[in-house]
Amino acid sequence: MNTHPPPETVIRIEGLCKSFGANRVLNDFSLCLYRGENLVVLGKSGSGKSVLIKCIIGLIRPEKGKITVLGRNVLALDHLELDELRVKVGFLFQSNALYDSMTVRENLEFPLRRHSFNLTQPKVNELVLEALHNVGLEHTVDMMPAELSGGMRKRIALARTLILKPEIILYDEPTTGLDPITGLEIIMLIKNIGEKYRTSSLIITHDMKCVQLAAHRVAMLVEGRCYASGTYDQLKTAEDEKIRQFFQ
């Protein structure tokens, strides 16, 4: 008899549809993310992966479907309620989205100030240094983004995401534009962060090395649907041609 409780669902997506003109990007897409899981959504460029992630945090509104995040119906929330939810859901942008005119310290302080936590300056300093320690870049605290390499900027963007201690982190193509060695460092960092804080991660990518190393489970976005899901090894040995094409 199995006495293990079912995994806790932190994101549930049901029947999501989103079109841009005549192009239906998401077509009855359904998926669940569980507590403490690294779930990779794998798809070709232009398949709708980034649209999916923006629907989850309310930046894009679908025509149909339901999105529940940490028990909240995202499509029923007003702007204030969405902001409150986004504190618990970190989002690592593909472009990093650092403020070029701010130092690393100021970039990391920004979300703390924006969400009005009424923290003392010593506590802010402590959180900034903790976040930088998590990504191995304490020495960059007073540098400007322009002084950092692409991999370092990605790490700083992740540190800024971590500073709010989110329950869920959404990664949009975290290794795009990075050389293979730096990309591997980011993948291992994603794994370590998940294990240290037991965050639930939804990782959007077409980088098969990221899929292989970071994913507990993989969902394949094909023709707007969740075409298949399983572990990397399960999908790699599938005979379906639409799945096999990703592993060749």
Side-chain angles (χ1 to χ4, degrees):
M1 180 177 174
N2 187 358
T3 58
H4 294 291
E8 179 188 355
T9 300
V10 293
I11 295 179
R12 184 183 299 277
I13 301 165
E14 301 170 83
L16 211 61
C17 295
K18 178 61 185 176
S19 299
F20 296 94
N23 181 23
R24 175 157 279 197
V25 178
L26 298 174
N27 186 17
D28 197 26
F29 185 93
S30 298
L31 188 67
C32 288
L33 173 68
Y34 301 116
R35 175 77 65 185
E37 177 184 40
N38 286 348
L39 173 61
V40 168
V41 176
L42 175 64
K44 294 180 179 178
S45 296
S47 62
K49 302 186 304 296
S50 292
V51 172
L52 170 65
I53 216 169
K54 288 173 182 174
C55 286
I56 291 171
I57 55 171
L59 293 176
I60 292 177
R61 191 170 184 88
E63 288 96 37
K64 284 177 61 179
K66 185 176 181 181
I67 305 168
T68 307
V69 177
L70 297 172
R72 307 291 303 276
N73 178 359
V74 171
L75 302 180
L77 301 180
D78 61 27
H79 288 299
L80 185 60
E81 290 168 329
L82 266 177
D83 277 346
E84 290 172 354
L85 183 62
R86 286 170 183 157
V87 174
K88 301 174 183 178
V89 182
F91 187 13
L92 187 68
F93 291 91
Q94 185 175 336
S95 63
N96 303 325
L98 296 175
Y99 296 104
D100 292 335
S101 61
M102 295 183 180
T103 65
V104 167
R105 181 192 302 275
E106 290 166 340
N107 265 284
L108 266 64
E109 287 178 347
F110 183 81
L112 297 174
R113 310 280 188 215
R114 182 173 182 270
H115 293 288
S116 305
F117 288 122
N118 298 319
L119 300 171
T120 63
Q121 189 58 47
K123 183 61 178 176
V124 169
N125 294 342
E126 178 188 326
L127 290 171
V128 166
L129 291 176
E130 178 189 356
L132 287 175
H133 174 74
N134 281 327
V135 300
L137 288 177
E138 300 99 314
H139 66 284
T140 66
V141 64
D142 293 315
M143 295 172 70
M144 302 297 290
E147 300 176 78
L148 307 174
S149 68
M152 292 168 79
R153 285 195 292 274
K154 185 71 72 174
R155 286 172 177 262
I156 296 302
L158 180 53
R160 187 178 61 183
T161 300
L162 290 171
I163 205 163
L164 294 177
K165 305 283 176 52
E167 294 182 46
I168 300 168
I169 302 180
L170 308 176
Y171 296 92
D172 188 9
E173 300 280 9
T175 60
T176 291
L178 302 178
D179 63 81
I181 293 173
T182 305
L184 182 59
E185 291 173 350
I186 295 297
I187 293 165
M188 300 316 293
L189 191 57
I190 290 170
K191 282 191 67 175
N192 293 339
I193 292 300
E195 290 166 4
K196 182 174 181 179
Y197 292 105
R198 203 168 176 258
T199 52
S200 308
S201 299
L202 185 69
I203 305 164
I204 300 293
T205 191
H206 60 269
D207 178 351
M208 294 307 296
K209 183 60 71 174
C210 183
V211 179
Q212 183 181 7
L213 295 177
H216 295 122
R217 189 163 55 97
V218 184
M220 307 198 69
L221 176 51
V222 178
E223 297 171 357
R225 294 182 171 87
C226 182
Y227 185 79
S229 65
T231 66
Y232 176 86
D233 288 338
Q234 286 169 340
L235 294 176
K236 185 179 181 181
T237 55
E239 296 183 1
D240 187 315
E241 188 54 39
K242 288 183 180 178
I243 298 174
R244 288 181 61 82
Q245 64 182 332
F246 288 92
F247 294 87
Q248 293 171 350

